Each structure stands twice: as C-alpha cells, then as structure tokens.
Amino acid sequence: MIKKVYLLVIGIFISMSLSSCFDIVEEINMKSDGSGAIVGTLNMSKSRTKVSSLMKLDKIDGFKIPNQTEIRKQVTTLVQLLKNTKGISNVKYKLDFTNYIASISCDFQDVNALNAYTATLAKHFKSNLNTYSSYSYNSSNKTFVRSYKHNPEAKKEFDKLKPENQKSFDQAFYTSIYRFQQPVLKQSNASGKVSTNKQAVMIKVPIPTLINGKANLANTIVIK
C-alpha cells in the first residue's frame, strides 16, 4: 500500500514509515524551454531512532521491512530503469542510512520526459500513480500545469492500518516546490505560496489530507 500512495517522489524507505513521521519533498526546476530537473526526497530523520529499531524487525502490520542491501538493490534497479527512460538523463541517488534520508534526481528533456519519469516509477512499483498525477507546459504562453486527482484506493489501504499507525502519519508532510527562471505572475492552488523573489511556488500539505482527498496538488502557474 505505502508504495502505491507515496510514489509521488520515491519508494525507498516507505515500507518502514508505518510507525514513523516523515517528509516527502518534490522539487522541480523548470527552464523556459520546458526542460529541467526533478529531485524526489524521502526524509525520515525526525524518526531516525525509531526507524533504526524498525530495520531490525522482519515485518510490521504484515509489511516486510527491507534491509540495507535490499534497499540498495531496489534503488540500483530503479536508477537503471530511469537511465533507460527516453528524455531522462543525469540520474543520481543518495542513501543516508544514518539520518534515513533518500533521494533520486535527474534531468528531463521536456514535460513528456517528466511524465515518462513518473510512469517509470509507477510501472516499477506496480502502481497507477501516473493516472492520478501529470504535468504539462505551454512555452508560448509560459504556463506550467500540475494535474492531480485523488486516488480513492489510497484511503482504502490507509484505513486497513491499525489506529496507532494511522496516527503516526499526523506529522508527515508532502511538499512540492516548483522553481522557474522567470517571475511567477500567478498560480491557482489555494495552498500555494510564491517565494519572495517571485521565482518559485511551494505547496506543503499534511499527508493524511492527501490520503483523505482533502488536499489538492493541482496547480496552474503562469510565468512572465
């Protein structure tokens, strides 16, 4: 379940997040021609002591806890798949088993490649993520669009967790940051905040609100 819900960025330590607070951060740096770079980060440093203990277990709520070797193997496989994805280049990853922070980054040739990146993740983890989230960019009117719709399966799977494990998600957040080379003229998401220099938009929402369909990541951003 957890992999299906949180493939928005990275699925490395996710099966261990059942009893830990964590943050998922998606950063997209867009160039005026529609190319750019994306970084997906899963940060469990707030619960590193708990996560360290969890890694000594075999399962939690029926979910297998991967060891470091298994995690590295899975990431290596994913990186190779991304390297073979059309329009994707400069794929890199970082695994910090001291603070429990994982990230994957790459460059994309255009938004079609950015969507292909999402599709590659979805296929690898046997998820339908790419049917609920996608991107588009119109270079003529300088408009970047994040399309998003709630996945009802996420709530069904979340409801299967024990109450104490559901509560552990209260301190979990999803943050998306979109950076541009030109100033942002306007953005449509009610939770979106434009940076002081007007060249970035940030949305930060509690993950439970995403699971329950009470938050929306959709956004239309017009740049100068």
Side-chain angles (χ1 to χ4, degrees), residues 27-31 33-39 86-90 105-117 135 137 144 179:
E27 301 175 73
I28 295 179
N29 298 318
M30 287 287 298
K31 296 181 180 179
D33 63 359
S35 64
I38 181 170
V39 182
K86 184 178 180 179
I88 296 297
S89 61
N90 195 30
S105 64
C106 66
D107 296 335
F108 54 88
Q109 182 176 316
D110 50 34
V111 286
N112 289 329
L114 180 57
N115 288 325
Y117 162 90
Y135 307 88
Y137 177 70
F144 175 81
R179 299 187 181 91

Side-chain angles (χ1 to χ4, degrees), residues 72-205:
R72 291 185 186 280
K73 182 178 180 180
Q74 185 177 111
V75 172
T76 299
T77 299
L78 179 56
V79 167
Q80 190 57 51
L81 288 171
L82 289 172
K83 286 181 177 180
N84 293 332
T85 300
K86 184 178 180 179
I88 296 297
S89 61
N90 195 30
V91 183
K92 299 178 181 179
Y93 74 92
K94 295 180 181 179
L95 292 175
D96 179 348
F97 286 105
T98 299
N99 297 299
Y100 294 98
I101 302 173
S103 68
I104 288 183
S105 64
C106 66
D107 296 335
F108 54 88
Q109 182 176 316
D110 50 34
V111 286
N112 289 329
L114 180 57
N115 288 325
Y117 162 90
T118 304
T120 296
L121 291 176
K123 183 177 180 180
H124 177 64
F125 290 106
K126 299 179 181 179
S127 162
N128 56 359
L129 168 71
N130 54 317
T131 64
Y132 292 93
S133 179
S134 63
Y135 307 88
S136 65
Y137 177 70
N138 188 321
S139 58
S140 62
N141 60 18
K142 304 297 183 182
T143 302
F144 175 81
V145 177
R146 164 71 179 272
S147 298
Y148 173 85
K149 61 180 180 179
H150 176 246
N151 182 354
E153 293 301 316
K155 187 177 188 312
K156 290 181 182 178
E157 294 297 328
F158 183 73
D159 289 342
K160 294 178 182 179
L161 295 178
K162 295 178 180 178
E164 60 268 27
N165 283 333
Q166 289 187 14
K167 188 171 178 57
S168 70
F169 280 64
D170 289 348
Q171 298 302 312
F173 292 89
Y174 174 85
T175 302
S176 63
I177 302 172
Y178 308 114
R179 299 187 181 91
F180 305 91
Q181 294 180 321
Q182 302 297 327
V184 173
L185 297 179
K186 59 181 179 179
Q187 64 88 38
S188 64
N189 191 292
S191 300
K193 296 182 179 180
V194 180
S195 64
T196 303
N197 68 359
K198 305 297 183 181
Q199 289 182 254
V201 176
M202 182 182 77
I203 297 173
K204 183 175 182 179
V205 295

